[in-house]
Amino acid sequence: MASAIPVDRIAHRILLVRGRRVLLDTDLAAIYGTSTKRFNEQVRRNAARFPEDFMFRLTTEEWGSLRSQIATLRMGHGQHRKYLPLAFTEHGAIMAATILSSPLASEVSVYVVRAFVRLREVLASSVDVARRLAQ
């Protein structure tokens, strides 16, 4: 089932916030096949596993900026977030898979790692191309 989630689809959900590449809680929950509410519940229960370099809560300004870029607002009752989203770095995204005791989460975590690695490779090659053009 995990092979049905292309690495590119995960990579497109990776955002740059505070100079770090992150996945939002809603995206990770969807990737790992659970609801955002249950996902965040498990994160709260295992807070010691998520130091600030693994996960952080977005500020109101960051969330407002991201919402305008990714158009997340849906109309209707219950469609708005009560709390600001959590942002997970690569290490936090992998740690999240370990707290979600499901075979799907374990399987999909491999694709999450590959998406972060692919993004890192693309960025490195862009820097290399820019350096060559400058020479």
Side-chain angles (χ1 to χ4, degrees):
M1 181 170 215
S3 60
I5 299 176
V7 172
D8 287 340
R9 204 170 98 207
I10 297 171
H12 283 97
R13 293 180 177 194
I14 298 173
L15 306 169
L16 187 64
V17 179
R18 299 182 196 173
R20 300 182 200 170
R21 289 181 294 279
V22 299
L23 282 164
L24 298 182
D25 54 1
T26 51
D27 292 329
L28 269 179
I31 290 166
Y32 289 144
T34 187
S35 70
T36 305
K37 180 179 179 177
R38 182 176 179 281
F39 178 81
N40 285 335
E41 225 171 56
Q42 291 298 342
V43 169
R44 273 192 308 278
R45 289 179 182 160
N46 294 278
R49 294 182 180 206
F50 296 97
E52 195 169 312
D53 59 326
F54 281 28
M55 176 201 76
F56 56 90
R57 189 167 299 281
L58 297 181
T59 65
T60 304
E61 294 78 25
E62 290 166 338
W63 179 228
S65 175
L66 287 176
R67 282 181 66 188
S68 67
Q69 291 174 33
I70 57 179
T72 60
L73 183 62
R74 285 189 254 155
M75 302 308 284
H77 181 69
Q79 297 295 324
H80 305 284
R81 293 189 71 119
K82 187 174 181 180
Y83 302 103
L84 291 168
L86 296 171
F88 293 82
T89 63
E90 180 176 356
H91 295 96
I94 300 313
M95 184 61 73
T98 68
I99 65 168
L100 290 175
S101 63
S102 89
L104 176 63
S106 297
E107 192 177 339
V108 173
S109 67
V110 171
Y111 294 94
V112 171
V113 169
R114 287 181 179 155
F116 275 101
V117 168
R118 178 171 291 167
L119 189 58
R120 207 172 12 253
E121 289 170 350
V122 167
L123 292 173
S125 68
S126 297
V127 169
D128 188 44
V129 168
R131 186 178 20 242
R132 288 181 189 176
L133 286 174
Q135 291 175 351

